[in-house]
Amino acid sequence: MFEARITIEKVSALAIESAIGHNFDSYLDAVSTGDVWPKPAFATIREDTDEQTPGWARGAAFGAVVDRSMSYPKVLVSYAASGQSSTGSGFNSRVANVLVCVSIEVEFVGDRVDVYMPPSIAAVECPADVQKYFGGNELVTLDEVFAASP
């Protein structure tokens, strides 16, 4: 599960960095096409064979929306991160592939990303097609992922 934790932490930090120079609409478009982090975009993951993603990036963005309900708009990007978890001990031990889906929130002030506001991360439901793409991995909670240690 530690791999999923590393992916979520790095992707959420890169989401803020990627949003610099974008307004919330252009950032939303760029996330949807897989041009900025969180990437790759699930809709383009099978077509994007020439671009290399880092080895630690074990996941894919599968949806993005703008939330204008508060005083400052936020872009909420849904992201699926995978990893491995070992359970049991001795002869009863096994390694399981795990999957967690989160929403990474990038806040904007006016037309610029708020670089001083760290992205918030919340658990979301993993859609069936995302689960199927990741091979039917065992779903885990966000709390389990953040409790994982190397």
Side-chain angles (χ1 to χ4, degrees), residues 7-72:
T7 297
I8 292 167
E9 289 174 350
K10 286 186 176 188
V11 165
S12 61
L14 286 169
I16 298 293
E17 185 178 312
S18 293
I20 296 172
H22 288 278
N23 64 28
F24 53 86
D25 287 324
S26 68
Y27 178 69
L28 180 69
D29 291 341
V31 167
S32 299
T33 58
D35 293 331
V36 297
W37 289 95
K39 62 181 177 179
F42 184 68
T44 62
I45 198 167
R46 292 179 188 97
E47 301 164 12
D48 245 355
T49 56
D50 59 337
E51 184 179 339
Q52 296 292 320
T53 53
W56 53 260
R58 300 170 185 227
F62 62 88
V65 295
V66 174
D67 177 5
R68 292 183 173 98
S69 64
M70 305 299 275
S71 56
Y72 298 112

Side-chain angles (χ1 to χ4, degrees), residues 96-120:
N97 292 324
V98 297
L99 180 67
V100 63
C101 291
V102 298
S103 175
I104 300 170
E105 180 182 288
V106 178
E107 189 171 307
F108 284 77
V109 177
D111 253 2
R112 296 186 185 151
V113 66
D114 186 353
V115 294
Y116 299 107
M117 177 63 76
S120 64

